[in-house]
Each structure stands twice: as structure tokens, then as C-alpha cells.
Amino acid sequence: MTASDRDDSGGPARPPTGVVTCLFTDIEGSTRLLLDLGTGPYRDILERHQALLRAAFAAHGGEEQGTEGDSFFVIFRRAADAVAGAADAQRAITAEPWPDGLAIRVRMGLHTGELEATGDGVIGYAINRAARIAAAAHGGQVILSDATRALVLSSNRLVCR
């Protein structure tokens, strides 16, 4: 645990609450990829994928809440930052020279809503909604809920590259 992972009292930092944007990711076809490649090569791909996504999300203020297998749950305080982080992550995944010409495709879903703190994390409908939106995506897509889209458009901060 680093200093940035602690609150003012020295304890673990509390995750963002209130109105936030939740992001979920998943590698499309990860089970087939694992079976085809075997655990060693798949582990290398998974670790690189995680490093690329973590860097993109952190650069835009994303706070990782958890990983499970090849998926991420990240909270952003601002919808525009979440969209920018997701876009940068997709660009990084696409630009990466994966071994043997593999194409790693990540699906992402974003939803903005209210979260409340629990004893060891957060709870709220926004989490479930973001996970369902990600599950509806195809690899390479970032899907936004209407709530997230409206906030991004009203912020006028999103710059397309």
C-alpha cells in the first residue's frame, strides 16, 4: 500500500462515492484464447493487457476497484475522464504488437450513477448497469449509457483524436 492508497488518517483510502462513472472491461474470447494458447502464453498476454489498461485508466483518474480474471472494475469521478480513459485503453490495446499476430479485443461498458460506501467497497445500481452494458459490447467497443453520454456531451471536454 502506497501513501496515495491511504486516507488522511493513514487507513485505506475510501473509493469514490456519490455520482461517479463505473467502467467494466472484458477480453472478448478470453476462454478460447486461454485454451488455445495454454496458461504460460496466456498469462503473458493477460499481464500486458492489465498493464496497458491500468496505465490508461490511471492517466485519467480512474480508481481500480477490482479485477476478476481478465476483467476490470474502475470508478471515475467524471464521465468525460472515464470515456477518455476507455478510449486511450482501446488505442493502447490496438497498437500493441501482440505475439503471433493475435488480435486482443476488449469490450468496455460505462454507466454514471450514484454509489454508496460499504464496509469494504461500494454498492449501487450503477455498478450492475455498467457490467451489463459491458457484457453487451463486442471486442473493441466502448458502450456508454445515456446518462454517461449526456454528461460527456454537456462537459464539452471530450476531444476526439
Side-chain angles (χ1 to χ4, degrees):
M1 186 175 283
T2 66
S4 63
D5 295 328
R6 297 184 183 282
D7 67 13
D8 292 336
S9 68
R14 303 285 290 175
T17 57
V19 177
V20 298
T21 300
C22 298
L23 175 142
F24 277 85
T25 74
D26 181 62
I27 296 176
E28 183 179 64
S30 59
T31 302
R32 173 60 39 206
L33 193 60
L34 171 59
L35 291 172
D36 289 347
L37 296 176
T39 56
Y42 178 76
R43 180 187 57 247
D44 295 342
I45 287 170
L46 182 63
E47 288 173 355
R48 184 63 186 144
H49 150 266
Q50 290 171 334
L52 292 170
L53 268 58
R54 280 189 175 114
F57 300 153
H60 294 279
E63 298 184 38
E64 185 178 320
Q65 300 303 300
T67 60
E68 190 68 37
D70 61 300
S71 60
F72 277 87
F73 168 35
V74 181
I75 298 174
F76 292 83
R77 295 178 191 276
R78 295 174 19 88
D81 293 338
V83 171
D88 282 354
Q90 289 290 16
R91 282 191 280 275
I93 289 291
T94 300
E96 182 68 15
W98 299 104
D100 301 322
L102 288 173
I104 304 302
R105 298 172 47 85
V106 178
R107 53 188 173 193
M108 300 182 186
L110 297 139
H111 177 67
T112 303
E114 192 163 347
L115 298 184
E116 294 182 23
T118 64
D120 59 351
V122 290
I123 190 170
Y125 174 72
I127 297 168
N128 301 72
R129 184 81 171 131
R132 298 306 176 268
I133 291 168
H138 295 287
Q141 286 184 318
V142 177
I143 299 180
L144 316 177
S145 68
D146 285 339
T148 302
R149 179 182 175 273
L151 284 171
V152 170
L153 291 176
S154 70
S155 75
N156 204 18
R157 280 199 61 231
L158 185 62
V159 177
C160 296
R161 296 181 214 166

